[in-house]
Amino acid sequence: MSRKQEYRFDPIRGFHKKEARPEPSSNGLNFEKISPFLRALLATDGTVTKFLEAYLWEPIQIKLLFQGDTVIDRDVPELEITKGASVLKRQVLLCGLDSGRTYTFAESLIRLDRLWEELREELLQGRLGMGEILRDRRMETYRELITYGREAVGDLSSVMKMAPDETLLYRSYRIFNKQLPTILITEKFPERYLS
């Protein structure tokens, strides 16, 4: 038996022995059946914007959909906060400058009490993605992938310019500052454009 048949890959654990059931974090997504590009996109802990630009050979622009203080309606243990806490919520699209295609929808929940002061100004301008801001500011961070999976476009159909029943692959990860979880990001990628 070849090593490929013996092991499974997921972006959280890397390669591991195959088990009878899917990983709880995968939400039923079979990594072996998606394109190599999408596998790499879900597993990368680098800047998604630059990753997309390099692969698609197209400049990517950030379109700010929403940014503001929000009172959350649920507990968010990934950020160590409970329902009723205030966070900065940010929603952006990553779009091809030439094609006009939307390649990513990203939503961030940010704990302002743990946010770097120098990052606030960049965020308020809304012109860059989170990864680009962290890279440009040379912030030392740790990213921890939490979950990934596949879902229908649903309510995002108008902003993604896709039919509601088309599929998105998603991943959620958190960014630590000084060993404290500070930012929770969920990115959603249209399977149609990136397979």
Side-chain angles (χ1 to χ4, degrees):
M1 176 184 272
S2 77
R3 223 173 253 288
K4 270 187 174 180
Q5 294 169 331
E6 209 176 309
Y7 287 85
R8 172 171 283 139
F9 178 83
D10 79 55
I12 295 172
R13 290 175 55 193
F15 278 103
H16 62 279
K17 290 273 190 187
K18 282 189 177 178
E19 298 168 5
R21 56 185 168 75
E23 297 299 312
S25 60
S26 72
N27 296 305
L29 179 63
N30 184 340
F31 239 63
E32 296 170 20
K33 298 199 180 206
I34 62 174
S35 72
F37 176 71
L38 283 168
R39 278 197 304 262
L41 192 57
L42 290 177
T44 186
D45 62 0
T47 305
V48 169
T49 306
K50 294 300 173 204
F51 192 84
L52 287 170
E53 286 180 333
Y55 179 81
L56 299 167
W57 204 246
E58 177 179 21
I60 299 294
Q61 63 180 337
I62 307 300
K63 291 185 179 177
L64 182 63
L65 298 176
F66 174 81
Q67 181 169 287
D69 290 330
T70 303
V71 174
I72 57 169
D73 59 0
R74 61 185 171 84
D75 292 347
V76 183
E78 300 88 355
L79 288 178
E80 301 172 345
I81 51 177
T82 56
K83 180 179 178 177
S86 182
V87 295
L88 178 65
K89 183 176 181 179
R90 187 171 195 250
Q91 295 176 326
V92 299
L93 297 176
L94 278 63
C95 304
L97 189 60
D98 300 326
S99 68
R101 285 185 177 157
T102 299
Y103 293 115
T104 308
F105 167 84
E107 180 176 275
S108 305
L109 298 178
I110 304 159
R111 284 195 57 160
L112 292 175
D113 61 321
R114 293 182 176 173
L115 188 64
W116 308 264
E117 277 188 44
E118 57 269 27
L119 195 61
R120 289 181 192 179
E121 184 65 32
E122 292 280 349
L123 277 175
L124 293 175
Q125 291 177 13
R127 60 184 180 77
L128 295 174
M130 187 68 65
E132 287 185 295
I133 293 171
L134 294 171
R135 186 199 66 227
D136 289 353
R137 289 285 187 168
R138 295 191 171 118
M139 302 280 185
E140 291 188 29
T141 61
Y142 170 73
R143 297 176 190 210
E144 178 185 43
L145 186 60
I146 297 166
T147 188
Y148 61 94
R150 177 184 279 126
E151 66 184 19
V153 174
D155 293 341
L156 290 176
S157 68
S158 61
V159 295
M160 297 293 288
K161 299 176 186 162
M162 298 171 68
D165 61 342
E166 289 188 80
T167 57
L168 298 171
L169 297 187
Y170 67 87
R171 69 179 188 155
S172 292
Y173 60 96
R174 58 187 178 168
I175 298 175
F176 287 75
N177 174 39
K178 297 180 182 171
Q179 301 181 344
L180 297 171
T182 304
I183 303 169
L184 178 64
I185 300 176
T186 299
E187 295 166 331
K188 300 182 179 191
F189 311 101
E191 203 163 3
R192 169 175 31 135
Y193 295 143
L194 300 174
S195 288

